[in-house]
């Protein structure tokens, strides 16, 4: 493609080799990187060696991880070999760009073996160590692991914790952290106590530097992110897209109600409101008693020459464009305007800043909200432009170690539907909410 | 303002305290940060203690920097005090945002003194150490310093080098680098051998993380950046702004000639061509035998509802907007379009990537080129939207340690002028090239 800020123009192949004891957030970081890169259209995949190991040893006790246990060691060797083989295949057959080898990779011998394999296959290895001696963080991670790992399914909680601590001790016996002197020729990043300190060595490519900047900005404090479209606008009623119109009377009602809804959802938490620079988002935010910030990057997808038209007018005036957009809505760029891909690129700093921040309420527009939602919920590109995100609905995201919890709160204030199905220029009337909201409803977990 | 990606919404005050022996690129880094932040509309200023010291000791020999030289020490103490006083005044009176204290700040005692002052004045201190044991880099820096520092004006080159080396040794006797253990509670960044390794500790605010990411991406390899507008387009001839028209016959001639011009200027150097996604830049690049990359972020400033109009039409149809734009061209945002400020924000990733890259030729549009040029040449915001950057002219920038050398190469192919003077809707005819190109001509140094 080569058209975008973040493009893999050089056909780079990067293997992020995770390093760290168990319960250091390696899988969390791996999954975040994959989600971030995928959202930016880089082909990325995490290879979790634990998953491969479970085939040979589904629920091993701590003894299994003793390095003197020869039989177990063989099974573990086999697991890492299979993971690396699959990774190489993925690079070759699926033109992968960034693979994450999610394992402890505790010893220098193991890391040198991976290094050699990478070099033989024209893959840039980047070691990413998560090092942590903050007991609170480790214990929180242990709680996450024992609740989510298949290794401890159905095991009594206390027993699981104690076994897991023992397992960590087995690893500690052989663990060799990355070292400035011995490893000085490697490309590596050390995250110390959740990025309180970060050591970065020999980062050379743009993509590596982006990954580093991203992981530097991650935090694990509990928080909420609320998303809402602006209230119903005059243009919404007139079925026009784009523009900069004011809210309809029903839209204004939503603005008033939003204050209560947010108050109820947020409780005493402080939060900051982010809006776009367009009137309808600012009118929607007008009653909210929180700090507000406007971002040009949150403005609606620019429809270029079609701005201010109805879909029917677009179909009549630009029938080929209309068809092309239906065929590939993610890539289609309005004449003189933007594509969903363009919007994702300009949202990247917003996502980066969202990762850094704590409680944020974003009031923005349909296409922009789809892109932000797709990032947090890992929605594939083909689907995200077709997601239904109805008006007058507050969405609350709760980022967790493994995925994002989402809650949808309806305002119970009627609004037109602005959802346009593929292959029609009709909006709203033909709209089957149950089916179209599937994506959101499915992921609602409380 | 609060409308932009990078806004100082929290009224942060940051003092970047440089740390490092002489000839470690501290002033280079300081000036780069100031230029970058100013371009992004953050109020930033560097306070160079050497400059203050020169008032009391204009051209001292190495002995002056001996820590046992009590009289000299007093002068040096006085210099740092004056610099810090001015800095505090600047924070207060001019609502400064990021100050750089550009000095060696070699000892922990000195740094603790600064730390205390910062805390008393609600300023976040961020220590930025440039540490280097790569002799080649140090020698290159020494050459830069002795050529540019007033301390060695008129001094024989060899004598200057030897004196400067001796001066560095005096500093080495007392120098205490930042240390992970002792300084673990400070916010600091250590750049080791020009960011080959970077250690980042307790970075907490967004702005700090941006500064860190920026300095991580700096390099000092010699290279060129070429800038050119697209060749004359059909719209240029019709005096229309925006659009996506093709080149005129004269524009196509420029495209053909550009190949020779670049070849002559670049010699054997390899380079990459960056264009926008618009037809006229791609047609201009069509004969260039180099790798090409398209960036949406390089598209022309979006004139919104005025896209495709002549200035005369805009003046007639939107007289108030026309006037408002003339009054504050940097801030004026076209209805449904962009301001210069908006363009700067979307160009930020381009600038970041440009800092990382080596030889790059950018073919883009008038407003975008003004913004990029303003970054490299430190052109103030009030002036940059009014700079003349004529068609059919190749600009070659050569980033140096202290500033950027610029060379302007004319293609000698006639083109309309697209320059619009303040207070008129006329383009071209009234154009006084000598006066309008002043900014470029003044900075041409070879």
């Amino acid at each position: 493609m080569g058209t975008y800020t973040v493009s893999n123009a050089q056909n780079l192949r990067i293997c992020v080799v995770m390093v760290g004891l168990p319960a250091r957030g390696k899988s969390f970081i791996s999954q975040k990187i994959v989600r971030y890169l995928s959202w930016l259209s880089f082909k990325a995949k995490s290879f979790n060696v634990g998953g491969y190991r479970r085939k040979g040893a589904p629920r091993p006790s701590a003894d299994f991880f003793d390095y003197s246990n020869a039989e177990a060691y063989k099974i573990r060797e086999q697991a890492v070999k299979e993971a690396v083989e699959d990774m190489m295949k993925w690079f070759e057959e699926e033109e992968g760009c960034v693979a994450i080898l999610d394992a402890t990779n505790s010893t220098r011998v193991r890391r040198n073996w991976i290094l050699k394999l990478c070099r033989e296959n024209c893959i840039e290895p980047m070691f990413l160590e998560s090092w942590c001696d903050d007991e609170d963080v480790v214990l929180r991670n242990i709680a996450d692991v024992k609740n989510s790992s298949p290794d401890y399914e159905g095991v009594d909680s206390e027993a699981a914790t104690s076994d897991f601590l023992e397992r960590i001790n087995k690893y500690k016996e052989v663990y060799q952290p990355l070292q400035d002197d011995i490893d000085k020729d490697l490309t590596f990043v050390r995250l110390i106590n959740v990025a309180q300190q970060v050591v970065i060595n020999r980062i050379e490519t743009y993509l590596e530097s982006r990954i580093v900047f991203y992981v530097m900005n991650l935090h694990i404090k509990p928080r909420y992110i609320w998303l809402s479209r602006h209230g119903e606008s005059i243009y919404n009623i007139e079925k026009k897209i784009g523009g900069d119109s004011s809210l309809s009377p029903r839209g204004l009602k939503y603005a008033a109600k939003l204050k209560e809804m947010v108050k109820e959802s947020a409780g005493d938490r402080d939060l900051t409101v982010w809006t776009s620079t367009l009137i309808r988002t600012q009118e929607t935010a007008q009653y909210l008693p929180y700090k507000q910030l406007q971002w040009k990057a949150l403005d609606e997808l620019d429809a270029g020459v079609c701005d201010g038209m109805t879909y029917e007018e677009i179909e009549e005036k630009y029938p080929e464009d209309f068809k092309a957009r239906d065929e590939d809505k993610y890539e289609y760029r309005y004449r003189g305007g933007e594509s969903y891909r363009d919007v994702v690129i300009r949202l990247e700093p917003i996502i980066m800043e969202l990762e850094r921040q704590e409680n944020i309420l974003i009031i923005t527009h349909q296409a922009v909200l789809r892109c932000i939602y797709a990032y947090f919920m890992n929605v594939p590109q083909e689907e995200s432009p077709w997601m239904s995100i109805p008006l007058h609905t507050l969405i609350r995201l709760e980022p967790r170690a493994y995925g994002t919890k989402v809650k949808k709160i309806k305002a119970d204030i009627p609004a037109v539907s602005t959802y346009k199905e593929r292959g029609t220029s009709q909006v709203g009337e033909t709209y089957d909410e149950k089916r179209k909201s599937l994506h959101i409803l499915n992921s609602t977990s409380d």
Side-chain angles (χ1 to χ4, degrees), chain A:
Chain A
M1 313 277 323
T3 316
Y4 308 100
T5 309
V6 277
S7 74
N8 188 20
Q10 296 117 327
N11 282 316
L12 267 186
R13 307 204 293 186
I14 293 172
C15 175
V16 178
V17 185
M18 297 303 298
V19 176
L21 292 170
R24 262 62 184 176
K26 296 185 301 300
S27 295
F28 167 69
I29 296 167
S30 303
Q31 287 173 27
K32 290 287 280 190
I33 296 174
V34 168
R35 208 207 304 163
Y36 172 68
L37 293 177
S38 305
W39 183 73
L40 288 171
S41 299
F42 290 100
K43 211 170 169 77
K45 189 172 176 181
S46 172
F47 295 83
N48 178 280
V49 174
Y52 287 84
R53 185 258 303 150
R54 256 167 233 122
K55 287 191 273 176
R59 290 161 70 180
S61 69
D63 293 338
F64 181 85
F65 298 94
D66 195 309
Y67 273 69
S68 61
N69 182 339
E71 203 181 325
Y73 191 76
K74 242 171 76 183
I75 296 177
R76 293 163 67 196
E77 282 284 278
Q78 186 55 30
V80 76
K81 268 185 197 145
E82 279 176 30
V84 169
E85 259 169 40
D86 279 2
M87 181 177 85
M88 294 299 175
K89 228 157 93 183
W90 175 79
F91 273 123
E92 285 306 323
E93 293 176 6
E94 303 192 37
E95 297 182 347
C97 174
V98 179
I100 324 253
L101 192 60
D102 179 14
T104 55
N105 298 311
S106 330
T107 65
R108 204 158 268 118
V109 169
R110 164 65 47 85
R111 297 199 290 267
N112 285 339
W113 175 76
I114 297 166
L115 189 66
K116 192 165 158 272
L117 274 177
C118 282
R119 290 200 174 137
E120 286 167 4
N121 290 277
C122 299
I123 295 162
E124 304 283 331
M126 174 163 100
F127 294 87
L128 174 45
E129 179 175 17
S130 176
W131 192 92
C132 184
D133 64 356
D134 181 330
E135 279 304 315
D136 289 348
V137 173
V138 173
L139 286 174
R140 211 158 46 213
N141 285 344
I142 288 177
D144 274 340
V145 172
K146 78 168 190 244
N147 290 332
S148 66
S149 168
D151 285 356
Y152 292 114
E153 226 176 276
V155 178
D156 163 74
S157 170
E158 220 164 297
T161 303
S162 129
D163 181 86
F164 198 59
L165 281 168
E166 207 184 321
R167 186 197 289 193
I168 294 173
N169 282 329
K170 300 288 181 197
Y171 276 97
K172 274 191 184 165
E173 285 167 21
V174 297
Y175 183 57
Q176 298 170 305
L178 291 167
Q179 267 178 258
D180 286 2
D181 42 3
I182 306 177
D183 298 307
K184 69 177 190 318
D185 294 329
L186 300 182
T187 293
F188 73 74
V189 187
R190 296 193 76 205
L191 300 173
I192 297 162
N193 289 328
V194 196
Q196 189 175 302
Q197 185 172 100
V198 184
V199 180
I200 299 163
N201 196 65
R202 291 195 179 273
I203 294 298
E204 266 151 32
T205 69
Y206 179 66
L207 194 48
E208 286 166 349
S209 85
R210 290 230 65 100
I211 296 170
V212 171
F213 189 53
Y214 178 70
V215 296
M216 269 171 61
N217 284 323
L218 297 179
H219 71 77
I220 48 173
K221 289 174 223 154
R223 49 95 170 243
Y224 292 129
I225 295 163
W226 292 269
L227 307 174
S228 172
R229 292 175 62 188
H230 53 80
E232 182 188 73
S233 73
I234 304 288
Y235 260 40
N236 288 154
I237 295 178
E238 295 170 350
K239 297 185 186 173
K240 290 178 183 164
I241 65 170
D244 193 11
S245 70
S246 284
L247 295 187
S248 73
R250 297 193 297 195
L252 285 167
K253 261 194 199 160
Y254 176 67
K257 179 127 191 214
L258 189 59
K259 185 183 165 185
E260 295 163 41
M261 292 165 73
V262 173
K263 182 77 202 147
E264 200 185 313
S265 181
D268 290 336
R269 290 173 187 82
D270 192 28
L271 58 93
T272 303
V273 181
W274 292 357
T275 65
S276 77
T277 67
L278 298 168
I279 293 165
R280 55 196 184 277
T281 63
Q282 287 165 43
E283 285 186 352
T284 306
Q286 66 185 307
Y287 304 115
L288 299 171
Y290 308 102
K291 207 182 92 186
Q292 304 201 2
L293 212 63
Q294 294 168 31
W295 298 73
K296 176 88 180 155
L298 287 173
D299 282 2
E300 182 54 312
L301 186 149
D302 181 357
V305 294
C306 297
D307 187 82
M309 293 186 184
T310 66
Y311 284 118
E312 281 170 327
E313 285 166 356
I314 298 172
E315 188 177 20
E316 199 188 304
K317 211 164 166 191
Y318 301 104
E320 280 171 36
D321 286 74
F322 189 79
K323 217 172 132 240
R325 187 160 199 256
D326 261 7
E327 271 161 20
D328 191 349
K329 199 170 172 188
Y330 189 82
E331 298 288 355
Y332 173 77
R333 179 182 284 157
Y334 277 109
R335 299 181 186 212
E338 291 179 303
S339 64
Y340 269 85
R341 180 185 290 278
D342 294 333
V343 173
V344 160
I345 300 303
R346 74 158 141 96
L347 283 175
E348 198 272 349
I350 297 268
I351 292 297
M352 198 66 92
E353 184 58 3
L354 263 182
E355 288 292 354
R356 293 186 59 79
Q357 292 285 342
E358 303 196 11
N359 299 307
I360 300 286
L361 162 58
I362 302 180
I363 299 175
T364 178
H365 307 265
Q366 181 164 256
V368 173
L369 221 149
R370 280 174 176 149
C371 294
I372 296 173
Y373 187 85
Y375 168 76
F376 282 102
M377 303 306 296
N378 220 352
V379 183
Q381 270 170 22
E382 319 81 74
E383 284 174 35
S384 61
W386 295 102
M387 269 189 297
S388 157
I389 304 203
L391 287 167
H392 299 183
T393 306
L394 179 65
I395 298 169
R396 190 186 77 184
L397 304 178
E398 187 183 354
R400 294 286 192 91
Y402 298 97
T404 306
K405 277 179 85 173
V406 49
K407 186 172 177 177
K408 205 171 87 172
I409 308 154
K410 292 198 151 253
D412 202 22
I413 293 168
V416 296
S417 165
T418 59
Y419 188 83
K420 183 191 97 56
E421 255 184 293
R422 201 189 286 251
T424 162
S425 60
Q426 296 304 310
V427 176
E429 282 77 0
T430 64
Y431 171 66
D432 170 353
E433 182 171 327
K434 218 169 197 167
R435 191 156 61 83
K436 286 308 165 329
S437 312
L438 204 63
H439 197 83
I440 290 187
L441 292 172
N442 268 352
S443 24
T444 303
S445 54
D446 62 352

